[in-house]
Amino acid sequence: MNGSIIIAAGGTGGHISPGVALAEVLSEKANAFGYESVYIHSLVRNQNNPDLLNPPCQVIWHNIPQLGGLKTIVYPFLFLFPFIKTILLFRKLKINAVIGMGGYSSLPAILYAILFRKPLYLCEQNCVPGKITRVFSKFAKKIAFSFPIVDSIQIPGKIIGNPIRKRVIPEHMNIRQNENLNEGKKNTINVLVLGGSQGARQLNQMILKTMENAEIASKYKFRLLTGTNLYDETKQKANDGTEIISYANDMKPNYEWANLVVARSGAGVVAECLVFGLPMILIPYPFAADNHQKANAEYLEKHGAAVTIHSTSDDPTPLVKFLLSWKDHSEVLREMGHISLALSNVNAAYQTVSYFFSDSN
């Protein structure tokens, strides 16, 4: 056996969730790939992340200072002590391979791999590769991409898809959500609104204003996952016809309920919508690093799985326009759903692990 594998998955849910999906596969098949065990390396502040509350393997918690502000000058000194602790622990655990999921929290594990000449593998979730991927790609043995990356950045790797946790994967791969929508009938179209774990006031307010349109209120039923911080605020402003939820630990029932999703365009949410064959209205977070959410949304829009609203306000006009145009043309949603499913890869976690640890390219 070749020792153990560490998956560096910390920071935001977009890095953690696919890392846990890989850990699910490796916790069962590490021996088949020649390794004894697998660990997840994550930040202490992620201890309450739902994906890490019942992890498939042991989680090694760590802390590193964030770069920025006055800390920039002394950052190497602040980083050195926790990095030495990481080295000693990884040596003790016989870490002989590192998978980096992106984000600054993966830096200690990546540097360990480079310093001690261990195989380094990188996963990039977004169409615009993050700084970690761009800087350390030349040290990586293999890189797996969730989506095609923008033409302006040239990094060798393989497009596989975003690894998805087992508990989210649908039991039946079909587009049943939209097959029951028929023209000329009073079907209700279920719209799932996802603001992310921190919530998105813009999306919540946009939906509430959209529901003031009588035609939309009669045809569409909305379920808002507001985020814990914005639940009370949104609940007070919502009418009785809107279902308000602060947070859902199990997303599968919500995806199965939905005919359409309105959301930001982070890679994790997008990938989950794809495997459920859901059409999307995407409103990219305009302040995301390198504007990667815009690139993610444009990729899906180009292929026909989504439409995009580029806005920093809660003006409902573009959303109202889309919903009214689809009110009596549900065949559009069905076709978008077909494309969505075609772009998905429910086996991305296993295929990523196989790509990394097999001899084939």
Side-chain angles (χ1 to χ4, degrees), residues 187-256:
N187 301 77
T188 298
I189 299 176
N190 295 332
V191 183
L192 180 64
V193 184
L194 304 174
S197 60
Q198 301 303 313
R201 181 176 281 107
Q202 177 195 9
L203 268 65
N204 297 340
Q205 298 300 327
M206 188 183 292
I207 293 297
L208 296 181
K209 291 181 179 181
T210 297
M211 288 196 65
E212 295 174 4
N213 183 292
E215 286 187 82
I216 288 176
S218 66
K219 180 68 176 180
Y220 294 89
K221 179 175 176 58
F222 294 88
R223 178 181 292 179
L224 275 71
L225 272 70
T226 64
T228 305
N229 296 335
L230 298 177
Y231 173 77
D232 291 335
E233 171 189 312
T234 309
K235 185 73 173 177
Q236 290 175 2
K237 297 179 180 179
N239 60 38
D240 294 336
T242 308
E243 188 177 356
I244 308 295
I245 301 173
S246 62
Y247 181 78
N249 189 41
D250 183 5
M251 282 300 300
K252 187 186 291 187
N254 293 294
Y255 289 131
E256 291 174 339

Side-chain angles (χ1 to χ4, degrees), residues 13-176:
H15 300 301
I16 295 170
S17 182
V20 172
L22 296 184
E24 288 177 338
V25 174
L26 282 168
S27 63
E28 297 178 355
K29 299 184 180 296
N31 290 348
F33 291 106
Y35 290 88
E36 296 174 8
S37 55
V38 59
Y39 301 92
I40 294 173
H41 198 229
S42 194
L43 293 171
V44 172
R45 67 177 175 87
N46 296 136
Q47 285 182 332
N48 292 323
N49 183 284
D51 288 321
L52 296 174
L53 293 178
N54 187 26
C57 62
Q58 183 180 346
V59 180
I60 308 299
W61 304 106
H62 73 109
N63 262 324
I64 61 169
Q66 285 186 273
L67 183 63
L70 296 176
K71 290 182 178 179
T72 303
I73 298 175
V74 297
Y75 187 82
F77 302 99
L78 297 174
F79 180 82
L80 186 58
F81 178 67
F83 181 51
I84 291 174
K85 288 178 63 177
T86 295
I87 290 174
L88 295 175
L89 180 58
F90 281 15
R91 300 290 281 181
K92 181 179 179 181
L93 296 175
K94 300 179 181 178
I95 302 299
N96 282 337
V98 172
I99 300 176
M101 303 305 299
Y104 82 97
S105 67
S106 64
L107 188 57
I110 289 174
L111 291 179
Y112 169 86
I114 295 171
L115 184 63
F116 292 96
R117 299 181 181 275
K118 305 298 183 182
L120 172 63
Y121 307 94
L122 297 178
C123 287
E124 176 53 56
Q125 292 82 41
N126 297 297
C127 292
V128 179
K131 188 174 293 184
I132 288 291
T133 301
R134 298 197 304 269
V135 172
F136 294 103
S137 60
K138 58 180 172 290
F139 299 101
K141 185 174 181 179
K142 293 180 181 179
I143 303 175
F145 297 109
S146 295
F147 303 107
I149 63 174
V150 293
D151 294 336
S152 59
I153 298 176
Q154 300 296 316
I155 298 176
K158 183 176 183 179
I159 302 166
I160 297 176
N162 203 43
I164 296 175
R165 300 157 298 165
K166 290 180 180 179
R167 64 189 177 96
V168 178
I169 294 174
E171 295 179 9
H172 304 288
M173 297 302 295
N174 58 44
I175 53 168
R176 65 192 182 284

